[in-house]
Amino acid sequence: MDRSAVVAKTVVSLRREAERVVDLVVDRIVAEIPSYAAVPRDRLRPGVAASVHDGIEFLVDGERLPVTADAAAVGADRAERGIPVEDVMHAYRIGVRTVWERFAREARRNDADPGEVLQLAERVWEWADGVMVRAAREHRRVDLETALDAQQRRGAFIRALLSGTLDRAGLHLQAAAFGLNADREYVPFRARGGGDARGIVTALVPYFPHTSPPVTLLDGDVAGLLARRPGERVPGDVVVGIGPSVRPADAVDAFDRASRALDTAARFGLSGVYDLSDLGLRSAVVTEDEVGTLLYERYLAPVQDLPDIERTVVTYLSGGMHVEDAARTLFIHPNTLRNRLRRFEEVTGADLRDHATLAELWWALAYQSLGDHPPRGG
């Protein structure tokens, strides 16, 4: 839009006092926004000066697109200094309001046309909105990068702590930097399931030591430290292996136990929270593959073509070795069940009254449930 001679004269007058306006804007920002008090004036003034001069130049023709480079730099700098984006927007509004107040006062003194001044005011705020959007976008980008960087550094620290590659000499300082007390005990854990890592972290939120969970991703699992052991169940289809409560410096062995507990529970299709003591011999079944193979071949391979015999033995053992109860479960006569048990003993050489045999048979059945045995008919 064309500017009248009066408005043009007013703009020229405003140009002459631009530096005083910059100082006024800086004073107002520091006075009104507490978060800006820590910003040195020599770092605050250049950004304010650029915005004030751009605003005045926009008053010249009102058609120029917003200058965004300085706004982006200002947004990034304020984010790095920890100034909230809301305060950055407040500072920009102070600047625009101050410039416009000086312009409007001078325009009235020069008897400028009120309609022209109002129309110019609308365009100025439209221009200012574009500048503020760019500053806010850059502020949020830096905020996100800073958060991601902090998360990555926390993750690297936790991985090093749990794997034993952390420099123990600086452990106290590094732990404190991530909100951990090196003299306090924590519960190492490893978890999977529940859909994704975020779901697992959400399920464990009540058990973390603070609001920034000391967790990381490790081979697809969520791993880290808890303030206390979770309850037996956690929301969702999540399985969690935990180790004993230890200080961060002693987390390696405890985390190894948590990993073994997780692997064991997951292999047996369990969900919930487990340490190795909860799983008993199951962990040995998982790790001692050779023993499992030998016991499978001793007790189960001979009856692989006799499914009724195997099903009868499993039902009998799982029901507490009560003949009548097992027979009712299988819908057979008790004598039929006794005959099948006797047949099993004949084929395998097992003695179902011998405790050692029963323990070995349990092991063979547990190993078979893992799916690691040779395929039937193979």
Side-chain angles (χ1 to χ4, degrees):
M1 57 180 290
D2 295 331
R3 296 286 176 262
S4 67
V6 173
V7 168
K9 177 183 176 182
T10 303
V11 172
V12 170
S13 175
L14 187 60
R15 271 177 170 168
R16 286 196 296 267
E17 62 170 341
E19 293 306 311
R20 288 196 298 273
V21 174
V22 170
D23 289 333
L24 179 59
V25 171
V26 170
D27 290 341
R28 286 183 173 180
I29 289 174
V30 173
E32 294 185 28
I33 309 176
S35 62
Y36 272 83
V39 181
R41 289 182 72 92
D42 62 344
R43 292 301 303 271
L44 178 58
R45 198 178 191 284
V48 172
S51 296
V52 168
H53 284 288
D54 282 349
I56 293 174
E57 292 307 311
F58 180 78
L59 289 170
V60 173
D61 55 46
E63 301 299 332
R64 186 164 48 87
L65 291 175
V67 176
T68 60
D70 290 316
V74 168
D77 178 77
R78 305 309 184 250
E80 291 169 356
R81 294 176 180 278
I83 297 176
V85 68
E86 296 82 3
D87 288 356
V88 177
M89 298 300 97
H90 186 184
Y92 268 106
R93 285 190 288 271
I94 289 174
V96 175
R97 186 173 66 246
T98 302
V99 171
W100 183 254
E101 286 173 353
R102 300 297 287 257
F103 174 82
R105 185 175 62 190
E106 188 67 18
R108 286 194 298 272
R109 183 180 297 128
N110 295 330
D111 294 325
D113 177 51
E116 183 181 4
V117 173
L118 178 60
Q119 186 178 10
L120 187 57
E122 294 174 350
R123 292 285 292 140
V124 166
W125 280 107
E126 182 181 346
W127 168 84
D129 284 343
V131 175
M132 287 189 284
V133 165
R134 177 59 176 151
R137 185 180 296 122
E138 189 68 8
H139 186 288
R140 292 191 176 98
R141 183 190 67 78
V142 173
D143 255 354
L144 179 59
E145 288 184 354
T146 301
L148 290 175
D149 180 61
Q151 185 177 4
Q152 289 170 352
R153 286 187 285 110
R154 183 185 299 110
F157 166 74
I158 295 298
R159 284 192 295 275
L161 179 69
L162 299 178
S163 65
T165 60
L166 186 69
D167 178 13
R168 293 172 67 93
L171 177 61
H172 279 71
L173 290 177
Q174 293 182 68
F178 295 103
L180 297 176
N181 184 342
D183 295 319
R184 176 186 169 180
E185 291 189 347
Y186 299 91
V187 178
F189 80 94
R190 188 166 182 165
R192 71 176 64 126
D196 58 16
R198 184 174 300 177
I200 294 174
V201 173
T202 299
L204 295 175
V205 161
Y207 309 101
F208 286 123
H210 48 69
T211 55
S212 298
V215 299
T216 187
L217 285 176
L218 195 62
D219 296 330
D221 298 331
V222 177
L225 302 174
L226 300 172
R228 56 191 175 91
R229 173 177 176 149
E232 292 183 1
R233 302 292 300 179
V234 291
D237 185 22
V238 177
V239 56
V240 183
I242 60 172
S245 180
V246 294
R247 293 180 178 181
D250 302 317
V252 176
D253 290 340
F255 179 68
D256 179 66
R257 294 181 62 174
S259 297
R260 289 163 55 199
L262 170 65
D263 187 49
T264 299
R267 292 285 302 280
F268 278 96
L270 304 175
S271 61
V273 181
Y274 301 92
D275 60 24
L276 285 178
S277 64
D278 297 323
L279 297 164
L281 286 176
R282 289 188 183 93
S283 62
V285 174
V286 170
T287 58
E288 298 295 333
D289 185 75
E290 184 178 5
V291 174
T293 299
L294 291 172
L295 294 176
Y296 170 83
E297 292 175 349
R298 166 77 188 279
Y299 294 107
L300 299 179
V303 295
Q304 64 177 347
D305 295 324
L306 303 171
D308 288 343
I309 299 297
E310 180 180 327
R311 184 165 57 251
T312 298
V313 172
V314 171
T315 304
Y316 172 69
L317 294 178
S318 62
M321 297 188 294
H322 296 293
V323 172
E324 287 77 11
D325 291 344
R328 278 194 296 271
T329 299
L330 294 170
F331 300 101
I332 60 175
H333 192 277
N335 287 338
T336 302
L337 187 136
R338 292 187 181 94
N339 289 335
R340 290 181 181 179
L341 296 179
R342 191 176 304 114
R343 176 62 174 159
F344 174 78
E345 291 178 323
E346 291 173 355
V347 171
T348 62
D351 181 356
L352 293 177
R353 294 165 296 182
D354 178 66
H355 289 173
T357 297
L358 292 175
E360 291 175 347
L361 180 54
W362 174 89
W363 190 302
L365 289 167
Y367 179 72
Q368 178 178 247
S369 72
L370 298 179
D372 295 334
H373 56 85
R376 291 185 180 276

